[in-house]
Amino acid sequence: MSHVHDLHDLPTGPPDPDQYFCRTALLETSRPEHRTVLVAAHGELDAANGAEFVDYVLRHRRHAQRLVVDLSGLTFFATAGFSALHTLNVQCVRHRIRWALVSGPSVQRVLRICDPDAALPVRTDVADALAATHDDPPRLLQLVPESG
């Protein structure tokens, strides 16, 4: 799968309902199991498309009890992407959706700084993430203010 870097990389033809181009990211949706949605992202996730990414993923919540977000195909992941994951986590807990995240090198760099306690449900690969959505209850990432 090639990465989407600009509007010239967009395919022509009728839109695919399971693909969404979100500035410099391609989001693809599949349903690997009953009531399970897998959203895979390719390209870049940053402040320009973080909110749009969350909106896209949450559109599928009506159809899912389980969600896997595969970010292993991202070539760039900004701290705004972490904010998007935090929002996604809160919404999944709120709607009782079991979810798991597959990260890649660009996501891991940000998570080491922004999620040092590993509160987000990160898994090693899609198979592990799918299994985790059957086992792990959703949990809320709690941000703790710095003591001064």
Side-chain angles (χ1 to χ4, degrees), residues 50-126:
E52 200 173 355
F53 162 76
V54 172
D55 290 343
Y56 176 80
V57 174
L58 290 178
R59 273 186 239 147
H60 298 286
R61 74 174 167 79
R62 292 170 293 196
H63 309 291
Q65 293 173 335
R66 292 176 296 279
L67 170 68
V68 172
V69 177
D70 180 4
L71 301 184
S72 63
L74 291 179
T75 57
F76 180 77
F77 184 76
T79 55
F82 175 75
S83 295
L85 292 178
H86 172 66
T87 300
L88 186 59
N89 188 59
V90 169
Q91 291 300 315
C92 285
V93 169
R94 178 176 177 223
H95 295 287
R96 294 187 173 103
I97 296 170
R98 294 175 182 249
W99 84 288
L101 169 67
V102 179
S103 66
S106 63
V107 177
Q108 281 298 336
R109 281 190 289 276
V110 174
L111 291 182
R112 277 193 294 273
I113 296 166
C114 296
D115 187 25
D117 296 326
L120 289 175
V122 179
R123 298 295 182 254
T124 57
D125 57 33
V126 171

Side-chain angles (χ1 to χ4, degrees), residues 15-28:
D16 183 335
D18 290 331
Q19 287 188 338
Y20 181 71
F21 294 94
C22 176
R23 299 191 190 262
T24 56
L26 166 64
L27 307 177
E28 296 181 295

Side-chain angles (χ1 to χ4, degrees), residues 29-39 66 68 126 130:
T29 303
S30 61
R31 290 151 193 87
E33 298 174 353
H34 180 68
R35 305 287 288 163
T36 302
V37 172
L38 167 64
V39 176
R66 292 176 296 279
V68 172
V126 171
L130 286 168

Side-chain angles (χ1 to χ4, degrees), residues 7-16 19 21:
L7 295 178
H8 300 291
D9 292 335
L10 298 179
T12 57
D16 183 335
Q19 287 188 338
F21 294 94

